[in-house]
Amino acid sequence: MFTRNKTPPEYVYRGLYLYFSGLSLRRTSERLSYCIKRNHVTIWNWIQKYQPKIIKTKQRRICEFIVDETLLKVGSEYTWLWVAIDAKSKEILALSISKERNMFVAERFLLNIIRDYGKHPVSTDGGDLVPHGLSIP
């Protein structure tokens, strides 16, 4: 006969913490398996049941973006990697990959950063693809 194996709340909290810290459902399940066996579907059910809200404990204070792009060879193809970091904390704010390097890709990348973090000065390596109308020192 099947008996229900109710999970103690401290393991549910730990599972939710691991998932919202950036682990996938399967990785969270693997990490929990050291103390209690639960599969990834169970963890997904916890997320649906408790619907935890992500809490921002500290508002980021960004004073300047540093934006750069670099060409990478992935297999036999070339790909552009775009990155934006906070000048003060050196934290990566955004990453993007594109097949092309042109004004449209650069503008879309910068507009997404502005949407997420607001308008701030932008520093670059002096490339020619910085869209007009953005605040650049």
Side-chain angles (χ1 to χ4, degrees):
M1 181 173 176
F2 177 75
T3 60
R4 184 169 176 212
N5 192 2
K6 187 171 168 114
T7 306
E10 58 268 14
Y11 295 120
V12 175
Y13 301 147
R14 179 164 296 183
L16 292 172
Y17 174 78
L18 290 171
Y19 176 76
F20 285 107
S21 293
L23 294 180
S24 69
L25 291 171
R26 290 182 191 273
R27 293 279 182 187
T28 300
S29 172
E30 289 172 9
R31 297 301 186 271
L32 280 179
S33 69
Y34 294 113
C35 49
I36 192 166
K37 300 273 187 210
R38 295 294 180 265
N39 67 20
H40 66 280
V41 176
T42 301
I43 296 165
W44 182 84
N45 287 334
W46 294 343
I47 295 166
Q48 301 308 306
K49 179 179 179 180
Y50 298 109
Q51 298 179 356
K53 303 218 184 322
I54 297 174
I55 300 170
K56 289 186 179 180
T57 57
K58 186 176 180 184
Q59 184 69 19
R60 292 186 195 176
R61 299 204 139 247
I62 298 170
C63 55
E64 180 181 9
F65 300 130
I66 298 174
V67 177
D68 198 13
E69 83 285 344
T70 189
L71 184 63
L72 303 173
K73 186 173 183 181
V74 180
S76 61
E77 295 184 26
Y78 288 95
T79 304
W80 288 95
L81 173 67
W82 301 78
V83 63
I85 65 171
D86 177 16
K88 187 175 182 181
S89 69
K90 306 296 186 228
E91 180 181 358
I92 295 174
L93 302 173
L95 289 169
S96 180
I97 295 175
S98 67
K99 296 258 185 202
E100 299 175 326
R101 178 186 181 263
N102 59 39
M103 179 64 96
F104 301 112
V105 175
E107 188 170 297
R108 183 180 64 226
F109 179 66
L110 290 171
L111 289 175
N112 285 336
I113 298 167
I114 291 169
R115 181 197 65 217
D116 293 341
Y117 299 100
K119 286 188 177 184
H120 299 287
V122 176
S123 294
T124 67
D125 58 1
D128 57 350
L129 290 178
V130 178
H132 299 288
L134 296 174
S135 55
I136 301 173

